[in-house]
Amino acid sequence: MNCKTEATGRRRAGRRSVRWTSAVAAGTILLVLAAACTSSAPKKSAPNPNALGFPRSTTLYTSGTAYAPPSNWNPFNLGNFATGTQGLVYEPLFLYDPIKNAYDPWLATKGSWSGSTYTMQIRNGVKWSDGQPLTGADVAYTINLARTNKSDPYSSNVATVQSATASGNTVTVTFSGTPGYSEWQDYLWKAPVVPQHIWSKLSPTAQITGANKNPVGSGPMLLDTYNATEVAYKTNPGWWGISQLNLSFKFKYLVDVVNSSNNVELSALTAGQIDWSNNFLPGINELVSGLNGNAGYGFKTYYPKVPYMLSANTVWLEPNTAKAPMNNVNFRKALAYAINPKQIVTAVYGGIAAPANPTGLLPNLNSYIDQGVLSKYGFKYDPALAKHYLALSGYKGQAITLEVPDGWTDWMAGIQVISSELAAVGIKCTPTFPQYAARTSDLTGGNYDLALDNNAQLDSTPWSYFQRVYNLPIAKQQTAQLNWERFSSPADWKLVQEAGTTPVADTAKLHSIYSQLEQDFLQQVPQIPVWYNGAWFQGSTKYWSSYPATETSDQNTPVMWGGYLGAMTTVYALAALQPTPQTGQ
């Protein structure tokens, strides 16, 4: 919401009016395309005479990821690049499969540690879309770029890298001192590889923030056209995955439409104007299940019944622990026991989201959860215990506020439920709805009492989750989406750092560290996990079928958000789509 990809976390995270961030722009599905450009050869944008010429039978329309006009295809310009920049145009070294909690070779076919050196083999036969070969030199260059250009969003992932060198398609990465194993593991599946022959000619600023409107990538699609309301890609006939993985898209074009309001998005889906929606659509459970007479749309969700959606990120009730009474652990425990996540999931989401585990770790990380610790220290809805801890806290009845951004209708409804539950145990809480920018300023500056937040995005280990909770030092402005609750525990921050420098193969030590962090989290309650936001996905079968779902062999991530499409298994899901036979054809 934040793999950080931090800036794109909001777009990816799956909110209705955000998102992996931005302003809502209304628009219809088929509009005149005002500008054109190609990713295979640089040329100036020009009006497209075939603006309405995308054949419906060979075009996949997606939406729910972009909230501003597409204008940037720089994979390092997180939060600003257009949908498809990562995943369709640029690719990572490995893909992370959150369903299997495993890594798939991608641009790299293998990698291994030897002491403080990591060696990987880069796939042979890969070409950039301008025809030049992608080699180990490009990979080494990209790693070193992150190491030397501190504006690179992946620079923190290579903080302990000393150098990256290439010999043919073998890349050797050496680390200084103890490697940051967890940081580097994240780099392998989150960071895109860029062409050295292009990026090396850019200024340091342009390398990270330039618009890159003629992108040269290695991925399955090429930039075709774009305008203020949509971006269109066409399949790349030279993509390496066709011959090496037997993967191919059955559609020729993919058009991503700038997200609009819930009603407009739902109308576009029911009309068959959108095929694949990653927008939050309230009531989709009724359309899928046939409740209240709704049937016949042929919509698909990842799960065929509750909770319908994969869990994408953890929604916390975030207390400002620098202020009273939130600085009192018994008050925070009172909050935790006063809230009923099941009520929010039912009343607000209609079952398309899931209650959070008290640790807040997402279901893909269940193997890391110490069930003994959870059983002994975990909390659940219990108003009597909430009143008990409230009395211990010495709470004097002072009023506090709970804020979410205006327009996030599900969260706005959620805090109404929470405020009512807090009032039932004697806590005076007033919901407030500042604009998104003001709300973010409140959290980063520590000018709030309680807030809902979802910094904890889907990741391959618990490391980034606890990094978000315990990161030190605490600055006056916490701008990196780390420790916005301002909780100070040097011992736990030391544990997080220890986990980060523990080899990923040392599972026994890692589980021991994470067990202690889970115990401390449940006893300290620096955050209160409430529910899991879904990886919102709705597929219309009017033109396309074989969407990813648990009841089929295709259990891949059905999400076009940047951190999923560009790093997880969405490309497999796209390749599995089949055209739906049309009546009369």
Side-chain angles (χ1 to χ4, degrees):
M1 228 172 135
N2 294 317
C3 294
K4 281 270 177 318
T5 342
E6 298 294 8
T8 61
R10 291 294 163 203
R11 185 173 61 212
R12 293 191 306 227
R15 298 272 325 110
R16 180 201 65 80
S17 56
V18 264
R19 298 7 170 194
W20 219 56
T21 335
S22 323
V24 175
T28 58
I29 303 306
L30 294 177
L31 295 173
V32 175
L33 296 174
C37 59
T38 174
S39 58
S40 58
K43 71 177 183 180
K44 295 181 179 180
S45 299
N48 179 7
N50 300 313
L52 302 180
F54 293 114
R56 192 61 182 87
S57 61
T58 57
T59 305
L60 178 74
Y61 282 91
T62 65
S63 191
T65 64
Y67 292 82
S71 61
N72 187 292
W73 287 266
N74 186 331
F76 298 129
N77 198 343
L78 304 183
N80 294 314
F81 63 67
T83 300
T85 300
Q86 284 198 24
L88 298 183
V89 178
Y90 296 97
E91 302 176 294
L93 294 161
F94 294 86
L95 297 182
Y96 172 61
D97 185 340
I99 313 303
K100 300 174 182 176
N101 196 25
Y103 301 94
D104 291 348
W106 205 245
L107 290 182
T109 57
K110 60 182 178 180
S112 61
W113 285 96
S114 176
S116 60
T117 299
Y118 185 86
T119 303
M120 57 184 148
Q121 189 66 35
I122 306 307
R123 191 180 295 275
N124 294 318
V126 178
K127 290 186 177 181
W128 296 107
S129 54
D130 62 1
Q132 293 204 31
L134 185 157
T135 68
D138 293 299
V139 175
Y141 171 81
T142 304
I143 296 168
N144 287 321
L145 176 67
R147 187 175 57 83
T148 57
N149 190 331
K150 298 305 179 183
S151 296
D152 189 308
Y154 301 99
S155 61
S156 61
N157 294 100
V158 298
T160 58
V161 171
Q162 187 175 59
S163 66
T165 59
S167 176
N169 273 4
T170 299
V171 175
T172 302
V173 184
T174 58
F175 293 76
S176 56
T178 302
Y181 293 100
S182 295
E183 298 167 345
W184 176 249
Q185 188 75 17
D186 278 357
Y187 182 88
L188 290 173
W189 65 273
K190 293 177 181 176
V193 176
V194 296
Q196 180 180 11
H197 65 281
I198 292 177
W199 243 255
S200 62
K201 298 175 183 177
L202 302 177
S203 70
T205 299
Q207 288 173 338
I208 310 303
T209 63
N212 192 36
K213 291 189 175 182
N214 298 297
V216 173
S218 62
M221 304 205 82
L222 309 171
L223 178 61
D224 184 54
T225 57
Y226 64 93
N227 67 7
T229 60
E230 57 196 350
V231 55
Y233 298 92
K234 60 184 178 182
T235 54
N236 177 6
W239 181 47
W240 60 270
I242 298 173
S243 60
Q244 297 196 36
L245 299 179
N246 197 30
L247 290 177
S248 62
F249 295 164
K250 312 309 182 295
F251 47 85
K252 183 176 181 179
Y253 301 100
L254 186 152
V255 178
D256 188 74
V257 182
V258 171
N259 204 61
S260 187
S261 68
N262 288 346
N263 290 339
V264 170
E265 290 294 310
L266 184 57
S267 295
L269 189 70
T270 55
Q273 295 171 316
I274 292 293
D275 303 303
W276 172 310
S277 172
N278 290 135
N279 189 65
F280 168 65
L281 300 178
I284 192 67
N285 57 313
E286 295 187 3
L287 299 182
V288 172
S289 62
L291 292 174
N292 299 323
N294 290 298
Y297 288 104
F299 291 163
K300 295 294 183 180
T301 50
Y302 189 76
Y303 297 110
K305 55 185 179 181
V306 172
Y308 295 101
M309 309 291 170
L310 277 172
S311 293
N313 57 78
T314 304
V315 179
W316 289 322
L317 176 64
E318 191 159 70
N320 183 350
T321 65
K323 295 177 63 175
M326 286 69 63
N327 61 352
N328 186 294
V329 66
N330 287 316
F331 183 80
R332 297 195 299 273
K333 287 183 178 180
L335 295 173
Y337 282 106
I339 297 171
N340 185 357
K342 292 182 180 178
Q343 175 65 16
I344 295 174
V345 165
T346 301
V348 176
Y349 287 99
I352 65 171
N357 181 287
T359 66
L361 294 175
L362 285 159
N364 69 305
L365 299 179
N366 280 342
S367 63
Y368 287 95
I369 297 176
D370 187 324
Q371 296 300 323
V373 165
L374 180 62
S375 176
K376 184 174 182 179
Y377 300 106
F379 45 80
K380 62 181 178 180
Y381 177 56
D382 189 328
L385 270 178
K387 293 178 181 178
H388 167 73
Y389 282 110
L390 189 62
L392 291 178
S393 75
Y395 173 70
K396 303 300 183 182
Q398 60 265 50
I400 58 177
T401 60
L402 169 55
E403 63 182 73
V404 299
D406 185 37
W408 294 20
T409 55
D410 49 334
W411 282 23
M412 293 170 73
I415 66 170
Q416 296 287 359
V417 174
I418 291 172
S419 297
S420 177
E421 292 171 341
L422 296 182
V425 301
I427 299 174
K428 298 178 181 179
C429 180
T430 302
T432 63
F433 311 105
Q435 293 299 308
Y436 174 74
R439 170 263 190 185
T440 301
S441 178
D442 287 347
L443 268 65
T444 58
N447 301 314
Y448 73 101
D449 295 332
L450 299 173
L452 288 188
D453 191 25
N454 62 336
N455 280 347
Q457 303 297 320
L458 193 154
D459 213 328
S460 57
T461 73
W463 181 78
S464 66
Y465 180 88
F466 288 114
Q467 181 199 30
R468 279 164 172 67
V469 175
Y470 290 115
N471 190 82
L472 292 177
I474 299 170
K476 184 177 180 180
Q477 288 289 329
Q478 293 283 84
T479 57
Q481 292 187 316
L482 300 172
N483 197 352
W484 279 358
E485 80 280 9
R486 287 169 156 71
F487 187 78
S488 181
S489 175
D492 288 296
W493 177 230
K494 184 177 180 181
L495 284 173
V496 173
Q497 292 173 300
E498 186 179 355
T501 55
T502 298
V504 291
D506 193 349
T507 55
K509 183 177 180 180
L510 286 172
H511 278 275
S512 175
I513 295 172
Y514 289 131
S515 176
Q516 185 62 55
L517 284 167
E518 291 161 19
Q519 178 176 325
D520 292 350
F521 181 90
L522 293 172
Q523 289 184 293
Q524 300 160 347
V525 200
Q527 298 277 10
I528 300 152
V530 186
W531 75 88
Y532 296 133
N533 259 348
W536 315 126
F537 164 72
Q538 297 85 198
S540 168
T541 57
K542 185 172 183 179
Y543 293 100
W544 299 96
S545 56
S546 298
Y547 290 104
T550 53
E551 69 267 27
T552 71
S553 59
D554 178 15
Q555 297 184 17
N556 296 302
T557 48
V559 186
M560 295 287 290
W561 304 330
Y564 288 71
L565 173 59
M568 299 189 197
T569 59
T570 305
V571 66
Y572 289 121
L574 291 170
L577 293 181
Q578 298 289 335
T580 301
Q582 301 296 304
T583 303
Q585 290 186 355

